[in-house]
Amino acid sequence: MVTVKAISDYIDSLAPYSTKCQWDNCGILVGDENKQVHKIGFALDLTDESLSDAIAKGVDMIVTHHPIIFKAQKSFLKGNMAYELASHGISAVSAHTCFDCADGGVNDALCEIFGLTDVEKVPSEECIVPMVRIGNLCYENKLTSAQFAEIVSEKLGTTVRLIESDREIGRVAVCGGAGMDFFSAAVSMGADAYVTGDISHHEMLEAKEMGVTVIAAGHFETENPAMAYLKKYIEEKFSDIETVLLKQSNPVRFIG
């Protein structure tokens, strides 16, 4: 019998919860850790769409990247995601910043998607375990900012924002989600370009002044691909459990 705790313990072995950022919330967040698991659903976030899909598919456990319970709450009423999970007997585990920095996690997935070679971890004071990855592009010649931005757009299937530079790009650092806290550390390790999800106006100005290409490819777009990786790890370990990717649409709509 495979329990919620067994699944959570395995995720903990892949992406130790102890490596999460101090403000984060990871592990079993809803449910009975001793309950038997037959089908697991995976989603970046628990939304109305993904929860409805989970219920329709008979999922009894959900694994998300972003925590289902993040900030302190004083009540759990009908309509609240944690309440709805409990009322349908669905347990929930979240692996957030621990999976960002894990081997084979969010940022290693991006390295594989972009075909980076000789990948290294970028140390920083903000993380117990390095989160950012840096590696070399596998093209014969270095690329321009615009050429690399087109590749990122194609690989992630999205529209990107580009902070352009004159520097030819051969060495690239990546950090899914909101990763500009680690930008300077990546530049110090020789990054010609930095790919992340979110970036503010002032961070754009900083990158422009430093002469480093930055590509903001979207929070959802840079993290969501890794959920298929986590699904694969679980199904390889627990071959008798059914796993499914839950429906989840990008919350951002592009117009124009």
Side-chain angles (χ1 to χ4, degrees):
M1 182 178 76
V2 179
T3 63
V4 171
K5 185 178 186 303
I7 300 294
S8 179
D9 286 348
Y10 182 63
I11 293 173
D12 188 26
S13 73
L14 297 173
Y17 301 141
S18 61
T19 64
K20 68 180 177 63
C21 293
Q22 186 176 5
W23 44 263
D24 201 8
N25 193 20
C26 298
I28 302 173
L29 304 187
V30 176
D32 178 359
E33 66 176 19
N34 296 314
K35 183 179 178 180
Q36 185 173 2
V37 177
H38 301 282
K39 184 184 288 189
I40 306 175
F42 294 81
L44 185 70
D45 302 279
L46 186 64
T47 62
D48 288 335
E49 181 185 24
S50 56
L51 178 58
S52 295
D53 193 37
I55 295 169
K57 290 176 176 174
V59 163
D60 45 29
M61 178 178 177
I62 292 177
V63 176
T64 66
H65 183 51
H66 295 129
I68 291 162
I69 302 172
F70 196 32
K71 297 180 180 179
Q73 292 181 240
K74 293 185 177 181
S75 64
F76 290 86
L77 305 178
K78 184 173 177 59
N80 175 274
M81 286 299 172
Y83 173 93
E84 295 299 331
L85 285 171
S87 66
H88 286 90
I90 301 174
S91 299
V93 170
S94 294
H96 188 204
T97 50
C98 60
F99 192 52
D100 285 321
C101 61
D103 291 338
V106 169
N107 293 306
D108 282 332
L110 287 175
C111 289
E112 185 173 323
I113 289 168
F114 298 142
L116 300 186
T117 61
D118 303 318
V119 174
E120 301 176 69
K121 298 178 180 179
V122 179
S124 70
E125 296 179 357
E126 290 85 354
C127 295
I128 299 172
V129 176
M131 186 176 295
V132 179
R133 302 294 191 262
I134 189 168
N136 301 320
L137 289 174
C138 58
Y139 301 99
E140 184 176 349
N141 300 313
K142 291 187 176 182
L143 305 176
T144 66
S145 292
Q147 286 172 332
F148 182 53
E150 288 178 2
I151 290 170
V152 173
S153 175
E154 178 185 354
K155 295 290 187 181
L156 296 181
T158 188
T159 300
V160 304
R161 292 189 294 164
L162 170 64
I163 295 84
E164 203 165 12
S165 76
D166 294 330
R167 185 184 303 194
E168 290 185 318
I169 298 171
R171 191 159 171 79
V172 173
V174 300
C175 185
M180 286 303 288
D181 286 346
F182 314 110
F183 175 63
S184 295
V187 173
S188 71
M189 287 189 64
D192 303 313
Y194 191 73
V195 180
T196 190
D198 302 324
I199 179 170
S200 72
H201 175 72
H202 295 289
E203 290 166 340
M204 292 180 191
L205 292 177
E206 178 187 1
K208 191 70 175 178
E209 290 173 1
M210 293 177 67
V212 178
T213 293
V214 173
I215 297 173
H219 204 116
F220 178 89
E221 293 86 349
T222 55
E223 292 186 332
N224 192 53
M227 297 313 295
Y229 285 66
L230 185 53
K231 173 182 178 293
K232 180 181 178 182
Y233 302 149
I234 297 297
E235 65 189 14
E236 288 177 347
K237 175 67 175 179
F238 302 97
S239 57
D240 54 338
I241 293 178
E242 187 177 351
T243 62
V244 294
L245 288 174
L246 300 176
K247 293 178 182 177
Q248 184 179 357
S249 303
N250 188 341
V252 176
R253 181 183 175 192
F254 296 95
I255 298 175

